[in-house]
């Protein structure tokens, strides 16, 4: 959206034949404001990254981290090496939908009201990251799901993960495996 507007504006300048167009390519170093027409790629900072020790009974793992950026960006995908897990996905915890889909719960539960804390998780396509606002991926919220772990995540180990952002590109981090949040 933004780039389209910029393109339109540039086109307007060109059709008017203004000589000031040349200023766009030359000096963009002086300004302290963030309204530059052609901003550099956002500076992404990842902190507090960790993955939970995975019980032997599951082949799924979860990783958490906090993302800060100095310009709006979008987390598009996450990836880990095939030696760690078959796939990494961005997940979000959401309330279980209040519908009849829970009819298959165990026999004998007499209650009619649903446990309001019932949550499920779903894959999300992307997460917008806003400048100056920390985006926390944490238990009970957004998280990174590792699908089909090759082997359990053991406390004390670590693995590499690559976050791909729309503007900033790829950011590689090392994720330590911990029993609980750092
Ligand atoms: Cu998940």
């Amino acid at each position: 959206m933004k780039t389209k507007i910029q393109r339109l504006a540039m086109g307007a300048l060109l059709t008017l034949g203004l000589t000031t167009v040349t200023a766009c390519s030359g000096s963009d170093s002086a300004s302290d404001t963030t309204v530059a027409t052609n901003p550099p790629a956002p500076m992404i900072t990842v902190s507090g990254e960790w993955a939970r020790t995975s019980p032997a009974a599951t082949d799924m793992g979860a990783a958490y981290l906090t993302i800060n950026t100095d310009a709006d960006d979008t987390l598009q995908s996450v990836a880990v090496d095939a030696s760690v897990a078959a796939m990494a996905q961005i997940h979000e915890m959401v309330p279980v939908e209040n519908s009849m889909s829970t009819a298959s719960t165990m026999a004998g539960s007499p209650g009619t009201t649903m446990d309001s804390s019932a949550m499920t998780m779903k894959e999300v396509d992307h997460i917008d990251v806003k400048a100056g606002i920390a985006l926390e991926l944490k238990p009970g919220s957004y998280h990174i799901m590792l699908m089909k772990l090759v082997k359990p995540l053991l406390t004390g180990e670590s693995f590499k993960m690559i976050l791909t952002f729309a503007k900033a590109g790829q950011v590689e981090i090392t994720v330590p495996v911990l029993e609980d949040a750092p």
Side-chain angles (χ1 to χ4, degrees):
M1 187 61 103
K2 198 181 217 174
T3 54
K4 188 181 280 181
I5 289 167
Q6 283 170 2
R7 224 174 280 134
L8 287 172
M10 184 65 80
L13 287 176
L14 288 173
T15 52
L16 288 172
L18 296 182
T19 54
T20 51
V21 168
T22 52
C24 291
S25 58
S27 59
D28 54 4
S29 56
S31 176
D32 266 345
T33 63
T34 53
V35 264
T37 38
N38 218 351
M43 177 74 77
I44 301 282
T45 309
V46 177
S47 58
E49 62 272 20
W50 69 287
R52 191 184 292 283
T53 303
S54 69
T58 178
D59 68 348
M60 297 208 300
Y64 310 97
L65 47 87
T66 299
I67 300 170
N68 281 280
T69 178
D70 65 353
D72 292 357
D73 205 340
T74 301
L75 175 62
Q76 290 184 312
S77 64
V78 293
V80 292
D81 192 83
S83 64
V84 177
M87 188 191 302
Q89 297 179 342
I90 308 169
H91 277 194
E92 178 183 19
M93 296 297 293
V94 294
V96 173
E97 280 181 31
N98 188 10
S99 69
M100 55 265 194
S101 65
T102 52
S104 61
T105 47
M106 40 221 71
S109 64
T112 50
T113 53
M114 279 183 46
D115 181 357
S116 60
S117 68
M119 302 283 281
T120 186
M121 57 187 181
K122 63 170 189 179
E123 185 180 8
V124 295
D125 184 61
H126 64 271
I127 309 177
D128 289 331
V129 193
K130 297 292 182 189
I133 301 175
L135 172 70
E136 284 186 85
L137 283 71
K138 59 187 178 184
S141 179
Y142 286 119
H143 57 276
I144 292 165
M145 200 96 239
L146 306 176
M147 318 293 284
K148 295 191 177 146
L149 290 172
V150 173
K151 56 186 178 61
L153 300 174
L154 300 178
T155 306
E157 295 182 345
S158 66
F159 58 91
K160 294 208 185 309
M161 185 153 63
I162 294 175
L163 312 178
T164 301
F165 294 88
K167 297 176 190 165
Q170 293 190 338
V171 176
E172 183 179 298
I173 59 173
T174 299
V175 182
V177 180
L178 306 173
E179 284 187 35
D180 216 331

